Amino acid sequence: MEDARWPSYLDIRQLTVGCGHLAGQVERFTALREIFSTRKKIAVVSGAGISVNAGIPDFRNSSGRNCSRNLFDVRVNSSDFHKMISNMGTRASQAEPTKFHHLLNGFARTDRLLCNLTQNIDCLEDKLPSLSNKTVQLHGRLDTLVCQRRSSHVFQVAPEDFQARIISPCSDCEAADKERVQMGKRSHGVGVLQSKILLYGTGPESVIGDKLLDELFQKVDAVIIAGTRLQIKSPNRLAAELCRAAKWRNGLTVWVNKEPPPREFESLLDYVTLGDCDEFASLITV
């Protein structure tokens, strides 16, 4: 770590095309790999960039701008939206985890991964049991419906059943309400099922328990922020707090993305690695 305040920049693209001698890229990446190998309590904040090589879209338009805000806004919760989610679910169910997913799975198997806090809804982590057990989906899941009246009524659905089940009556509500009526009690009504995906405009949802947060902040000795630009406030704030916790105990903080981090993260990062997440995974495990 060359400077206590500013990160060391690495360009993975230079390394992969044989230009690693430029600006000492090879030496810097070797140093990062060596430091990284000593870290035992790793927290990851991940986004769409770790899944694109599996064929999962990252919702960039032709100009490179992220258009997910338009697609995942609460105001577009319509039949076209439901069809899009169903198609995404089908694609995700047929996709295989990427090299970066396998890197994290390796950390999990050796008990080095504290948690993978992912903004992704594709559920690719479920195909790697060790990683799945260490993953928290911050923004929900493609394969899950939840009752809009009672959030405890949750259903996992196959992609081919998604459109038939979305906005259908909640079977748990129906059963509970039928029992109440038979007992002579007043009906509480029946909710309908909706996608368990956090949409823009619905406000943040707390999915991380206090116990896990305490463990993360007390134990973390390395943070990887991968495949995300951290444009959403709650993951941005969480990533910043994790970086501060790691830096406090002289830990390692690393950014992995094709684009540089937000300006406010410059003083929180030790390394900024620009490039593909899978190429980073291949290089860090050499």
Side-chain angles (χ1 to χ4, degrees):
M1 291 176 275
E2 297 177 357
D3 191 298
R5 238 185 113 193
W6 303 111
S8 177
Y9 272 76
L10 296 165
D11 194 329
I12 299 174
R13 296 161 295 188
Q14 290 184 357
L15 292 168
T16 54
V17 298
C19 300
H21 63 282
L22 297 176
Q25 295 290 298
V26 170
E27 292 79 3
R28 291 184 183 188
F29 211 95
T30 299
L32 170 59
R33 189 186 303 123
E34 290 175 354
I35 297 169
F36 202 81
S37 67
T38 67
R39 304 302 155 172
K40 305 298 183 184
K41 299 296 179 183
I42 303 166
V44 178
V45 180
S46 59
I50 76 167
S51 291
V52 289
N53 289 338
I56 307 299
D58 63 355
F59 302 104
R60 297 289 183 92
N61 61 23
S62 58
S63 65
R65 293 184 177 179
N66 192 321
C67 56
S68 62
R69 185 174 292 273
N70 296 328
L71 295 171
F72 290 92
D73 192 282
V74 67
R75 293 167 295 183
V76 298
N77 201 357
S78 63
S79 58
D80 287 342
F81 172 77
H82 300 151
K83 184 177 180 180
M84 179 190 73
I85 295 299
S86 178
N87 291 338
M88 282 182 63
T90 299
R91 182 179 294 188
S93 69
Q94 297 169 350
E96 293 299 324
T98 64
K99 290 180 181 179
F100 194 88
H101 285 101
H102 282 282
L103 172 68
L104 301 190
N105 192 55
F107 294 156
R109 279 201 319 268
T110 55
D111 202 30
R112 295 176 63 199
L113 183 65
L114 278 176
C115 192
N116 171 37
L117 302 160
T118 186
Q119 299 171 78
N120 296 341
I121 58 175
D122 52 47
C123 308
L124 289 183
E125 295 85 2
D126 287 1
K127 300 183 180 185
L128 299 170
S130 297
L131 176 57
S132 179
N133 291 334
K134 291 288 188 177
T135 294
V136 174
Q137 274 101 1
L138 298 175
H139 295 164
R141 300 174 58 98
L142 276 173
D143 63 356
T144 303
L145 299 176
V146 61
C147 176
Q148 46 85 230
R149 285 178 65 94
R150 297 174 179 87
S151 59
S152 61
H153 295 175
V154 178
F155 305 85
Q156 279 198 293
V157 294
E160 60 269 20
D161 297 330
F162 185 92
Q163 285 188 272
R165 297 285 302 278
I166 190 79
I167 317 231
S168 67
C170 171
S171 57
D172 284 0
C173 280
E174 288 180 322
D177 211 54
K178 182 179 179 181
E179 184 178 345
R180 285 185 60 83
V181 172
Q182 288 175 343
M183 294 171 62
K185 296 181 179 180
R186 181 171 59 88
S187 169
H188 277 178
V190 174
V192 298
L193 300 183
Q194 61 186 12
S195 174
K196 190 172 173 56
I197 296 173
L198 186 65
L199 301 175
Y200 291 101
T202 57
E205 178 183 357
S206 178
V207 294
I208 311 174
D210 290 340
K211 183 178 180 180
L212 175 57
L213 277 177
D214 287 344
E215 181 182 20
L216 286 171
F217 293 135
Q218 290 174 14
K219 295 182 178 180
V220 63
D221 67 4
V223 177
I224 305 175
I225 303 169
T228 174
R229 294 191 293 172
L230 291 179
Q231 292 186 314
I232 300 174
K233 286 185 179 179
S234 52
N236 180 300
R237 184 167 56 249
L238 177 59
E241 290 173 354
L242 284 169
C243 286
R244 291 188 186 99
K247 297 278 267 184
W248 185 79
R249 54 178 49 85
N250 199 31
L252 176 70
T253 55
V254 182
W255 174 272
V256 186
N257 202 14
K258 292 181 178 179
E259 299 177 47
R263 185 177 296 273
E264 66 267 23
F265 273 79
E266 287 277 317
S267 62
L268 297 175
L269 296 165
D270 296 314
Y271 286 89
V272 171
T273 52
L274 300 175
D276 183 85
C277 292
D278 279 0
E279 291 176 355
F280 172 85
S282 296
L283 289 165
I284 208 70
T285 54
V286 170

